[in-house]
Amino acid sequence: MGERIVLVGAQWGDEGKGKVIDILTENVQYVVRYQGGNNAGHTVVIGDKKYVLHLIPSGILHDGRICVIGHGVVIDPKALIEEIELLKSQGINVDDNLKVSDKAHIIFPYHQKLDELRETKKKGKIGTTKKGIGPCYADKVSRVGIRMADLYDKDYFRKKLEINIEEKNTIFKDLYGFKGFSADDIFNDYLKYADNLKKYVCDTVMLLNEAYKKDRSILFEGAQGTFLDVDYGTYPYVTSSNSTAGGACIGAGIGPSRIDMVVGVVKAYTTRVGEGPFPTEFGDDLMEKIRQKGGEFGATTGRARRCGWFDSVLVKNSVDVNGIDKVIITKLDVLDELDTINICTSYTYKNKQYQNIPGDPGFLEKCKPVYEEHPGWKSDTSQVTSYEELPINARKYLDRIKKLIGTEIMLVSVGKSRKQTFMYNNAKH
Ligand code: GDP
Ligand code: IMO
Ligand code: MG
């Protein structure tokens, strides 16, 4: 029987979703991106080859799976074409497998420029990827956005583009002293991109609901992570889409009754890129150690990721807001050398203890994490192939996480490659 599974990042992104999607794709027929854009960077390592997917679902590396970019995704067509070309040059079959929604909104150079100019301001910086994601979603919600299908009606596209450029150029000139963009240049470039992408563009909502009716298995690939969700995350230090599980229904056009399971990907510690609160962030020494051992550098921007202890308050919240049925714990091996390992179990703020995250502005910046200290296992877990083979302290660490977040563990990952993954036996532990 086919299953419809939503997979989400349970922290601030970069949990290892790409690796996990690649493994789960083995058993599904469709893989769907439903939000975000090329701000995402999903890494898959197969043998000695490394692939970083930004817009195209990570399932593309398994031939014969239909990979869908849903209408909730914002598409930079130039970046998409480059990604397609790169995959093709590596022998991946893109043409038979990729489908792009005709209703997805398009990122234009003025979105990227606005993102970049806002980020250069000293105050109010978010630390974005400067890919134009926020300004593109803002235009969508302001009802002035341009969608994939619009590119194939030249007159309509030209009219919408001119209205946008006139408004944006005024802002560029008056506010930022930047000369702005030429409608002619963008129009001509985007017509060429449209031509190149035409073979992939279709009604993906119909495609997916037909697949559902035929009982096909569908995996919805979340980008970013729960605490980067524009509604639930650490606002304003978030991305501009709904990266929680509900986003899959909206951004792919599949009703909630058609989803069978939600899987959360959880890193065995915590990382975040860009600005914003991070209660369990390490001090300098541990930060450098874990960053190096975990290779914690952005897959999209190359920026050093901030690292910290596992925060069970965050992940427990994530289980609730996404309705996570099972989690997959990644990067356990990165903690192999530590003498002791902390888990945050609550926060204190103004003499009160919290196991939730109230909306008070500044709560997460000012609260103090309360830690439980666990002995490290001080041995290499990267070659371990079963729960039973793990050192006892590593098993205890996983069991404790399971108990604190209140959900089953499905798989444990101890390295980048497919084979460095094993099942966790929930019945026994
Ligand atoms: P995503 O955005 O959630 O897909 O994650 P990224 O690809 O941005 O970052 C995860 C990084 O960790 C990638 O470099 C992966 O190859 C790597 N990775 C994934 N799982 C593991 C693991 O279990 N152990 C180690 N050491 N690295 C892993
Ligand atoms: P994956 O899918 C980690 C972060 C940025 C910034 C904030 C807003 O690889 O997990 P944006 O460019 O989206 O407007 O930036 O969101 N961010 C990510 N952090 N992983 C990601 O994607 C991210 N995508 C965006 O660093 O803090
Ligand atoms: Mg990433």
Side-chain angles (χ1 to χ4, degrees):
M1 245 208 25
E3 262 192 316
R4 269 61 54 179
I5 302 170
V6 177
L7 182 135
V8 291
Q11 292 147 317
W12 275 294
D14 304 324
E15 295 89 351
K17 298 177 293 294
K19 168 179 166 164
V20 168
I21 292 277
D22 173 63
I23 288 172
L24 300 184
T25 299
E26 192 68 41
N27 300 316
V28 304
Q29 287 130 331
Y30 289 73
V31 185
V32 187
R33 273 284 306 272
Y34 54 88
Q35 46 72 232
N38 60 325
N39 48 351
H42 298 174
T43 315
V44 182
V45 175
I46 305 174
D48 57 2
K49 276 194 176 166
K50 175 174 145 179
Y51 304 84
V52 182
L53 287 310
H54 298 286
L55 265 169
I56 299 178
S58 308
I60 199 78
L61 303 174
H62 290 257
D63 196 13
R65 274 51 169 204
I66 302 297
C67 289
V68 176
I69 299 180
H71 56 257
V73 175
V74 287
I75 297 178
D76 177 336
K78 185 166 181 274
L80 178 56
I81 292 167
E82 283 167 8
E83 195 169 328
I84 292 171
E85 293 307 322
L86 180 66
L87 286 172
K88 283 188 184 175
S89 73
Q90 293 169 308
I92 306 297
N93 179 4
V94 180
D95 285 358
D96 292 331
N97 299 327
L98 182 65
K99 307 287 172 197
V100 176
S101 168
D102 52 3
K103 294 178 191 66
H105 280 253
I106 298 170
I107 297 179
F108 285 91
Y110 48 79
H111 293 132
Q112 274 170 294
K113 193 71 194 176
L114 194 56
D115 197 357
E116 186 191 310
L117 288 169
R118 281 186 182 151
E119 281 294 302
T120 52
K121 287 198 299 190
K122 283 202 179 67
K123 284 187 185 159
K125 203 174 132 181
I126 306 288
T128 75
T129 59
K130 299 185 187 164
K131 299 288 181 191
I133 307 294
C136 182
Y137 276 116
D139 275 2
K140 164 176 160 172
V141 179
S142 303
R143 293 151 298 172
V144 296
I146 300 176
R147 308 195 292 179
M148 279 312 289
D150 300 345
L151 300 181
Y152 302 103
D153 181 334
K154 277 191 192 175
D155 293 341
Y156 184 77
F157 170 37
R158 179 83 202 194
K159 214 185 292 168
K160 285 196 93 171
L161 183 65
E162 277 175 10
I163 294 170
N164 268 291
I165 297 242
E166 191 187 345
E167 186 200 28
K168 263 87 181 176
N169 278 355
T170 310
I171 296 172
F172 282 130
K173 280 181 204 137
D174 293 356
L175 210 58
Y176 296 103
F178 171 72
K179 67 178 174 21
F181 291 92
S182 137
D184 278 344
D185 290 349
I186 295 183
F187 184 67
N188 291 329
D189 287 346
Y190 275 63
L191 285 184
K192 278 188 224 139
Y193 302 148
D195 204 35
N196 188 311
L197 293 173
K198 195 162 184 194
K199 56 180 165 295
Y200 308 111
V201 178
C202 65
D203 179 348
T204 53
V205 172
M206 202 166 93
L207 179 86
L208 290 171
N209 282 284
E210 284 307 314
Y212 167 80
K213 286 172 205 160
K214 289 184 191 141
D215 202 24
R216 302 284 188 258
S217 304
I218 309 174
L219 182 57
F220 297 90
E221 171 176 353
Q224 288 82 52
T226 300
F227 293 93
L228 288 172
D229 181 283
V230 66
D231 285 291
Y232 191 68
T234 45
Y235 192 89
Y237 300 101
V238 293
T239 190
S240 300
S241 65
N242 286 114
S243 44
T244 44
C249 295
I250 298 181
I254 282 268
S257 60
R258 297 185 170 188
I259 304 291
D260 300 297
M261 180 159 75
V262 180
V263 173
V265 186
V266 175
K267 203 178 270 193
Y269 49 100
T270 314
T271 60
R272 95 171 283 176
V273 202
E275 309 296 315
F278 186 171
T280 64
E281 189 166 10
F282 291 140
D284 291 347
D285 288 352
L286 259 179
M287 177 78 81
E288 210 34 47
K289 192 169 176 172
I290 295 298
R291 184 180 284 154
Q292 291 305 331
K293 170 96 173 146
E296 296 295 358
F297 296 90
T300 295
T301 58
R303 289 177 294 172
R305 293 175 184 152
R306 299 157 62 193
C307 307
W309 295 118
F310 185 82
D311 185 337
S312 73
V313 182
L314 280 190
V315 178
K316 194 154 112 4
N317 265 265
S318 191
V319 167
D320 283 338
V321 74
N322 292 295
I324 291 175
D325 297 296
K326 290 180 180 180
V327 296
I328 295 174
I329 309 275
T330 62
K331 305 193 87 158
L332 186 69
D333 56 298
V334 176
L335 305 178
D336 281 352
E337 289 153 23
L338 299 180
D339 295 325
T340 56
I341 302 173
N342 286 352
I343 297 180
C344 166
T345 53
S346 62
Y347 307 129
T348 51
Y349 180 65
K350 294 187 178 165
N351 298 321
K352 259 180 81 179
Q353 197 135 7
Y354 289 83
Q355 292 202 312
N356 62 326
I357 308 161
D360 315 23
F363 174 85
L364 277 181
E365 278 101 348
K366 292 184 212 134
C367 72
K368 293 267 172 287
V370 177
Y371 289 119
E372 213 176 64
E373 192 181 88
H374 293 256
W377 44 91
K378 308 277 287 174
S379 61
D380 180 8
T381 58
S382 68
Q383 304 310 313
V384 166
T385 55
S386 70
Y387 173 87
E388 282 67 28
E389 268 178 53
L390 277 174
I392 180 75
N393 287 348
R395 277 189 257 162
K396 283 187 177 164
Y397 183 68
L398 291 177
D399 298 346
R400 183 65 183 143
I401 287 178
K402 179 187 159 184
K403 184 137 195 270
L404 283 167
I405 65 175
T407 184
E408 291 198 353
I409 300 174
M410 184 178 169
L411 295 172
V412 179
S413 168
V414 288
K416 291 168 191 276
S417 77
R418 285 174 172 170
K419 61 178 195 310
Q420 290 170 299
T421 320
F422 54 85
M423 308 265 283
Y424 176 100
N425 188 338
N426 289 282
K428 279 197 191 157
H429 319 288

